[in-house]
Amino acid sequence: MADETKVPAVLQGAFFVLQAVGEAGPAGANVAEVQVRTGLGQRTTYRHLASLKALGMVTEASERSRYRLGPVIAGLAQNTSDQLEFLRRARMFCEELAERSGEPVHVTVCDQGTAVTVATASRSSPVSEKSPPIVPGSRRPLHASASGKVFIAYNRSALEAYSVRPLQRFTQYTITDVRELERECLRVRQQGFAQDRQEYSLGITCVAVPVVGVGGRAVGALTVSTKRPVMSEARRAELLRALRPAAKEFSAAIGGEGGA
């Protein structure tokens, strides 16, 4: 059986060339230096450099015989830095809010039509033995979770995607009618927060607020879960007094325009 994970030689060669240019530092590297670092032939090295240059992954230095990393790599590096900063902030706010609320707190992002937990913290026991655990990597359906409703409400294309497929029922409280989901999303936008009223797991209620990125898009959701079948207005208001300023600070920290 063929090894499906084997890296094609041409891709491996291009990676080695890119790595050699990157390791050369600000001064860049010429073809001969890249050859020494990679062990590739001159023609192969030239071919890889030409392809990488066309893709914007390397660029010629002021001294035309030398190559440096290009703008595409710089952009990827910035994205990596932004993602790491998002995760660092997510963990920090989870810890702070869990300490203040005494409830499990988690941060999610939207991925492939689900809300994915990227950070979590708790000062109490798990939300429920019957409920799927809230751990990094766990997923919740958008239409049946507080954080998921945040993403649908603030992303028209996500809401439109739900209009062409049946909404799965998880409990008797799950929203399964598209028009009702649209009305719910309107409420989320108007009030600036979303709720899960036992819609994914019985006995569990949640409240979530958006974390806003560049351009006003909801790039994350900050959520508190409770082991209460009904969240009182007083408790919800108390949690929102902690969630809203935290989300605003989180949003500002990642270059957003402020939370709800």
Side-chain angles (χ1 to χ4, degrees), residues 98 101-106 120-127 134 223-226:
S101 68
E103 306 277 14
V105 180
H106 62 285
T120 183
S122 176
R123 291 294 175 270
S124 64
S125 59
V127 176
I134 302 174
T223 306
V224 175
S225 301
T226 77

Side-chain angles (χ1 to χ4, degrees), residues 5-90:
T5 63
K6 187 176 181 180
V7 180
V10 64
L11 181 58
Q12 191 174 56
F15 172 76
F16 288 153
V17 169
L18 187 62
Q19 188 176 43
V21 172
E23 291 175 346
N30 59 30
V31 174
E33 290 167 344
V34 173
Q35 284 183 254
V36 170
R37 289 174 179 270
T38 63
L40 298 172
Q42 186 181 64
R43 290 182 62 185
T44 301
T45 301
Y46 269 119
R47 186 169 65 250
H48 284 312
L49 285 169
S51 297
L52 291 169
K53 180 182 176 183
L55 292 169
M57 302 183 83
V58 301
T59 185
E60 288 186 75
S62 55
E63 191 178 334
R64 289 181 59 84
S65 60
R66 305 189 75 81
Y67 294 85
R68 295 175 181 160
L69 294 179
V72 169
I73 297 298
L76 291 173
Q78 182 61 52
N79 288 341
T80 300
S81 177
D82 291 345
Q83 290 173 5
L84 291 174
E85 178 64 9
F86 182 92
L87 290 174
R88 187 183 74 81
R89 295 281 180 174

Side-chain angles (χ1 to χ4, degrees), residues 100-101 228 232-243:
R100 291 180 60 185
S101 68
R228 296 175 175 84
S232 69
E233 289 187 17
R235 181 55 173 161
R236 184 177 67 239
E238 182 183 9
L239 292 175
L240 285 170
R241 282 195 293 271
L243 278 169

Side-chain angles (χ1 to χ4, degrees), residues 156-196:
R156 186 66 194 178
S157 62
L159 179 58
E160 290 173 351
Y162 265 82
S163 65
V164 296
R165 63 183 181 186
L167 301 180
Q168 183 178 353
R169 181 181 295 279
F170 296 93
T171 74
Q172 64 265 42
Y173 303 105
T174 306
I175 295 175
T176 57
D177 180 78
V178 173
R179 288 190 177 85
E180 185 181 350
L181 182 62
E182 290 175 345
R183 290 192 292 271
E184 178 79 352
C185 289
L186 178 60
R187 282 192 292 271
V188 171
R189 290 193 298 272
Q190 290 174 337
Q191 64 196 14
F193 66 88
Q195 297 183 81
D196 171 0

